[in-house]
């Protein structure tokens, strides 16, 4: 008797085409963005999710008999857009009648006061971690050139990829060749980390199932920094601020 399992794929958008081992399976709709891929043979299967205008997402899953694996699609636009935040509400240069744009004022405060848009844990085990941030049971931090993550939430809710080496041990997400400047959670995700190295900004999934690669989001012209605020990625270069549409 053939042993089979299943994979449940969570997609953020409708109109996403899902393939298993190169074979088209289904396209998501407005009413059904999640798809259950059933009757898959035990063993390794490559799942690809495609949508026009976005980089193809892929992940290798080890299917086990009578079990369901889960995958959370992370889409990035093929053409990432940088939009300047106008300094003044009338969209012009400074004048005697100009008023500071409220978005510009709030973003400037975030950068000036080093505000992080995620809750910081009071868990003594996690205290003192460099760059520590938490979101929905996940903690992330950096250690020089390394990014680490750990689950500290409800046992029943722990993602399976945290349990490969022990469910409550720290997970090495990424090791760079040089020091990591800053990290935070990607907007509206607790399974994707955004970080900066030298003059570039990257995003990477915590899920270590292959492929797990850092996606280049942006490179500064000279120098700058980013912050995540109000579910947006903002960049500061000199005295200018930009939104990054990914």
């Amino acid at each position: 008797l053939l042993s089979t399992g299943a994979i449940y794929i969570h997609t953020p958008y409708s109109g996403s085409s899902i393939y298993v081992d190169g074979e088209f399976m289904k396209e998501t709709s407005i009413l059904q963005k999640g798809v259950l891929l059933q009757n898959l043979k035990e063993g390794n299967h490559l799942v690809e999710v495609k949508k026009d205008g976005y980089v193809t997402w892929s992940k290798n899953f080890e299917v086990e008999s009578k079990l369901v694996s889960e995958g959370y699609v992370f889409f990035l636009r093929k053409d990432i857009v940088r939009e300047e935040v106008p300094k003044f509400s009338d969209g012009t240069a400074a004048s005697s009648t100009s008023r500071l744009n409220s978005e510009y004022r709030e973003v400037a405060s975030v950068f000036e006061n080093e505000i992080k848009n995620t809750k910081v844990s009071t868990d003594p085990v996690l205290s003192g971690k460099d760059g520590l941030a938490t979101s929905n049971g996940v903690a992330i931090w950096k250690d020089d050139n390394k990014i680490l993550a750990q689950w500290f939430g409800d046992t029943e809710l722990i993602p399976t990829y945290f349990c490969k080496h022990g469910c409550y041990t720290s997970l090495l997400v990424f090791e760079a060749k040089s020091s990591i400047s800053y990290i935070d959670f990607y907007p509206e995700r607790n399974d994707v980390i955004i970080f900066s190295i030298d003059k570039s900004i990257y995003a990477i999934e915590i899920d270590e199932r292959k492929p797990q690669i850092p996606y280049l989001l942006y490179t500064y012209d000279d120098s700058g920094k980013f912050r995540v605020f109000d579910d947006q990625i903002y960049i500061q270069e000199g005295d200018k601020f930009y939104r990054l549409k990914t």
Side-chain angles (χ1 to χ4, degrees):
L1 185 67
L2 186 65
S3 297
T4 63
I7 303 171
Y8 192 89
I9 299 296
H10 302 263
T11 62
Y13 305 122
S14 60
S16 302
S17 299
I18 300 177
Y19 297 78
V20 176
D21 300 327
E23 180 182 352
F24 174 75
M25 302 297 286
K26 194 167 185 179
E27 183 173 296
T28 60
S29 65
I30 294 175
L31 298 177
Q32 187 181 21
K33 294 180 181 177
V35 173
L36 179 64
L37 306 170
Q38 303 182 75
N39 300 318
L40 299 175
K41 294 179 182 179
E42 281 189 290
N44 189 269
H45 294 275
L46 174 65
V47 175
E48 295 174 291
V49 185
K50 302 180 181 182
K51 182 174 174 61
D52 288 345
Y54 292 84
V55 177
T56 296
W57 178 88
S58 63
K59 191 70 68 177
N60 282 285
F61 292 86
E62 190 66 32
V63 172
E64 298 181 52
S65 177
K66 300 179 182 180
L67 295 179
V68 179
S69 298
E70 286 188 285
Y72 295 81
V73 175
F74 176 51
F75 270 143
L76 281 175
R77 294 182 183 182
K78 290 181 178 178
D79 298 312
I80 295 175
V81 178
R82 186 188 76 169
E83 299 176 341
E84 184 174 353
V85 178
K87 186 171 185 178
F88 298 100
S89 56
D90 56 12
T92 64
S95 68
S96 59
T97 59
S98 295
R99 293 183 178 180
L100 271 181
N101 175 16
S102 60
E103 182 184 10
Y104 183 97
R105 185 170 58 250
E106 290 175 355
V107 173
S109 177
V110 168
F111 280 91
E112 181 180 353
N113 297 302
E114 298 294 326
I115 296 172
K116 198 169 235 182
N117 195 40
T118 52
K119 295 180 180 179
V120 175
S121 173
T122 57
D123 189 322
V125 176
L126 299 172
S127 64
K129 303 293 188 184
D130 188 11
L132 176 68
T134 65
S135 177
N136 297 322
V138 180
I140 60 171
W141 66 93
K142 62 188 180 75
D143 182 3
D144 189 26
N145 65 329
K146 299 176 183 177
I147 297 176
L148 299 105
Q150 187 169 332
W151 179 261
F152 65 94
D154 192 321
T155 304
E156 295 182 357
L157 300 176
I158 187 168
T160 55
Y161 52 81
F162 268 107
C163 291
K164 186 175 181 180
H165 308 291
C167 296
Y168 285 89
T169 59
S170 59
L171 181 70
L172 177 62
V173 178
F174 181 67
E175 185 171 0
K177 293 181 179 180
S178 55
S179 295
I180 293 163
S181 306
Y182 188 82
I183 66 169
D184 204 341
F185 287 97
Y186 193 87
E188 301 182 310
R189 303 286 297 240
N190 77 330
D191 61 333
V192 180
I193 299 170
I194 180 172
F195 64 98
S196 57
I197 300 176
D198 299 325
K199 295 183 178 181
S200 298
I201 304 172
Y202 301 87
I204 191 168
E205 296 173 273
I206 294 176
D207 186 351
E208 64 179 350
R209 289 174 293 191
K210 305 300 182 184
Q212 183 200 34
I213 58 174
Y215 295 93
L216 177 63
L217 303 181
Y218 185 78
T219 299
Y220 304 114
D221 291 333
D222 184 15
S223 62
K225 54 186 178 180
F226 81 89
R227 295 293 182 266
V228 178
F229 172 69
D230 198 23
D231 293 329
Q232 296 265 7
I233 301 169
Y234 287 96
I235 294 168
Q236 180 182 21
E237 290 188 274
D239 63 348
K240 293 184 177 181
F241 300 105
Y242 303 91
R243 303 178 209 94
L244 205 58
K245 298 292 186 179
T246 59

